[in-house]
Amino acid sequence: MRQTVRIESLAYQGHGVAHLADGKAVFVADTVPGDRLLVEVADEHKCFARGTTVELLEASEQRVQAACPHAGACGGCPWQIVGYASQLFWKRRFVVDSLSRIAHIADADGLVAETIAAPKLWGMRNKVEFKLYREAAGGRLQAGMYTARSNSCAPVESCMALGGQPGKLPGRLAGLLNFVFVDGRAKTGSLATADLTPYRLGIRTSQRTGDCEVALWSRPAPLRRSFLAGTIGQQAKCVNSVVRVLTKEQDGRHKTVRTEVLAGRGFWSEAFGGHVLKVSAPSFFQVNTKMAELLAKRLKEQLLQGSGRCGLQVFDLYAGIGSFTLPLAAAGACVVAVEINGSSLCDLRRNLSAAGLQAEVVAGDVARELPWLLRRATGGQAARGGLAAIVDPPRSGLSSTVAKALADSPLSRLAYVSCDPASLARDARILIDGGFRLQQAVPFDFFPQTYHIETLALFEKDT
């Protein structure tokens, strides 16, 4: 069935939304509000349908020309055709709509600030990961990205989101890996069988420190490390660190076993908030350094505002490598940082030591550690100075156990850093039911050219 429709809005996940003649909503990929188009309705459900564009009849004023040569194939930057002002508008709407619809916050529109724009729309990322794959059995390795809404991959020769020399590395590194892992098998000194072939390629780069690290993910097996590292070093001069992340399959997922340093220092460094942070390959760090700095600055101001806040005890839950722990400790807060990932724990301790700062580091799962930390703090000096917390959970949000423990806690302030509006809204409802008030939610555009949005939400409670 074909119909002519006009795109009215954008939905989270990036699809344009229109309505068919019978009033049913239809989702159409790669469209912009205001576009008028002929669509083929191929996937119809009771309450909605999905369509594909047959012909763009009238282009929206909000539509722009995609800048990247891989646009339309690579799924990494699906909103290149959406003007930036429109991107910012719709990202804020995603946060407002989730807080209204899921958290049932009546005045959500008044509580969500305007989206903080990114200062750079390209070359803004410090990290991109690519899938290494073969288009056919025994074929050449390609570095690529999943195409939009599919499990297939498209080769990527260069990446405008990385920019500079590192942005030119994906295709070049794929060629080097073919020389090492494919062609090299038939030569003297060859180092690999097909089982050793890496399945993921990561590139981390800093425009501030000049560091550029290449990480390869593969299964544990003997490897002529110097040959691999030397080949990369000779042909990719901007790379000063090469590591191999060894993983094994467990419950259908890749679990990190250990990281091998093949060349260089074995970590990537980034100047951040007056400190130089060292980040190991498996450790998490926000991919947009400048926006992460702006968010950390706003978070610190919100938690420490008011008299006497420098005596505040702050639980930095899911602390990672310390991007919130360090600025809060430097401002005089008593920080207890909780982290379970071994790589991130090592980086956190190393970064605190290098900065000459003090914080209590607790190694463990937040759900297990939080109850006793709250009990200890409630009866001690920290209770007199006030208690606050930061949560920066994965995309799935807080577990029900952690959300309930926070809702029932004596915390006076809670800063929630979220990369998913829906999980933020779900957890916000639990916190509000426990006595917290949402003071403000601020969207930060860490990810231009995509529908993703980072949000800093501040909750307060009278204790």
Side-chain angles (χ1 to χ4, degrees):
M1 178 181 69
R2 293 185 174 185
Q3 285 194 26
T4 298
V5 300
R6 188 176 294 276
I7 301 299
E8 304 159 16
S9 61
L10 290 173
Y12 195 66
Q13 304 293 334
H15 292 74
V17 183
H19 285 85
L20 300 173
D22 62 1
K24 183 180 293 184
V26 59
F27 297 89
V28 189
D30 304 319
T31 56
V32 177
D35 282 347
R36 181 172 167 270
L37 47 122
L38 179 65
V39 297
E40 181 76 44
V41 181
D43 184 16
E44 195 162 359
H45 300 264
K46 182 178 180 180
C47 298
F48 70 94
R50 299 188 188 279
T52 57
T53 301
V54 176
E55 182 182 357
L56 178 62
L57 303 174
E58 179 186 339
S60 167
E61 293 181 354
Q62 300 174 40
R63 177 180 280 267
V64 298
Q65 182 69 36
C68 177
H70 300 296
C74 169
C77 299
W79 266 15
Q80 294 184 54
I81 60 172
V82 182
Y84 192 55
S86 187
Q87 291 185 34
L88 297 176
F89 172 85
W90 287 108
K91 290 183 182 191
R92 179 181 179 274
R93 288 308 316 172
F94 295 157
V95 179
V96 172
D97 291 347
S98 291
L99 290 174
S100 299
R101 178 173 49 87
I102 301 172
H104 307 295
I105 297 175
D107 56 342
D109 192 61
L111 294 175
V112 180
E114 296 299 318
T115 305
I116 305 297
K120 294 178 65 177
L121 304 187
W122 293 106
M124 65 290 185
R125 291 181 69 110
N126 57 50
K127 176 187 176 184
V128 177
E129 291 182 356
F130 304 89
K131 181 175 175 57
L132 295 171
Y133 69 101
R134 301 173 191 266
E135 292 183 341
R140 308 293 290 176
L141 279 175
Q142 302 270 15
M145 287 280 192
Y146 286 106
T147 57
R149 298 164 294 281
S150 82
N151 291 322
S152 62
C153 286
V156 174
E157 289 293 318
S158 61
C159 181
M160 290 180 61
L162 278 172
Q165 288 301 312
K168 301 175 183 177
L169 286 178
R172 185 182 304 175
L173 289 171
L176 296 176
L177 294 174
N178 275 300
F179 170 72
V180 171
F181 289 99
V182 181
D183 303 334
R185 283 183 289 159
K187 298 180 179 180
T188 303
S190 66
L191 61 81
T193 66
D195 291 335
L196 266 179
T197 304
Y199 61 86
R200 186 191 305 169
L201 163 69
I203 301 172
R204 263 180 165 154
T205 178
S206 169
Q207 299 175 21
R208 300 176 176 187
T209 67
D211 274 7
C212 182
E213 181 177 78
V214 168
L216 300 169
W217 276 257
S218 69
R219 71 174 185 85
L223 177 73
R224 286 188 59 212
R225 300 169 184 83
S226 59
F227 178 50
L228 173 59
T231 301
I232 293 175
Q234 289 170 14
Q235 301 298 321
K237 300 296 185 183
C238 63
V239 175
N240 56 12
S241 177
V242 182
V243 299
R244 185 169 69 136
V245 182
L246 303 177
T247 64
K248 64 179 181 181
E249 290 273 353
Q250 183 173 314
D251 299 326
R253 302 178 66 183
H254 291 285
K255 179 179 175 60
T256 299
V257 177
R258 68 180 186 277
T259 302
E260 290 184 342
V261 179
L262 307 184
R265 298 172 298 176
F267 59 81
W268 168 81
S269 65
E270 178 65 296
F272 180 86
H275 306 286
V276 176
L277 303 180
K278 295 179 174 64
V279 188
S280 302
S283 299
F284 173 78
F285 182 72
Q286 292 284 8
V287 300
N288 190 321
T289 301
K290 180 59 179 177
M291 294 304 293
E293 276 186 329
L294 294 176
L295 187 149
K297 182 175 183 290
R298 177 72 68 94
L299 183 151
K300 181 179 72 172
E301 291 170 349
Q302 288 184 336
L303 283 185
L304 301 183
Q305 69 180 353
S307 59
R309 287 294 173 182
C310 284
L312 189 72
Q313 177 162 328
V314 180
F315 298 113
D316 186 1
L317 309 177
Y318 316 94
I321 63 155
S323 51
F324 299 138
T325 298
L326 268 67
L328 284 167
C334 303
V335 185
V336 179
V338 183
E339 176 58 50
I340 193 172
N341 180 270
S343 171
S344 296
L345 279 166
C346 291
D347 291 338
L348 172 59
R349 292 187 175 107
R350 178 168 55 182
N351 290 330
L352 282 167
S353 177
L357 296 170
Q358 296 292 323
E360 181 182 355
V361 177
V362 177
D365 178 67
V366 170
R368 185 180 68 245
E369 307 297 337
L370 181 59
W372 75 263
L373 288 171
L374 288 170
R375 287 195 300 270
R376 183 186 69 176
T378 302
Q381 178 189 0
R384 294 189 293 274
L387 293 173
I390 304 161
V391 291
D392 187 4
R395 186 173 301 278
S396 57
L398 302 172
S399 70
S400 57
T401 302
V402 172
K404 188 66 166 59
L406 291 169
D408 295 340
S409 73
L411 297 170
S412 59
R413 288 186 179 178
L414 173 66
Y416 191 131
V417 180
S418 168
C419 60
D420 182 78
S423 58
L424 168 63
R426 180 202 65 208
D427 295 339
R429 184 68 262 165
I430 298 172
L431 295 171
I432 291 168
D433 288 344
F436 279 98
R437 301 180 304 278
L438 176 61
Q439 297 298 106
Q440 188 182 48
V442 185
F444 288 78
D445 190 16
F446 280 49
F447 313 99
Q449 322 306 341
T450 80
Y451 58 83
H452 295 292
I453 185 67
E454 199 84 4
T455 306
L456 171 62
L458 178 69
F459 297 86
E460 292 191 348
K461 180 197 282 190
D462 295 327
T463 57

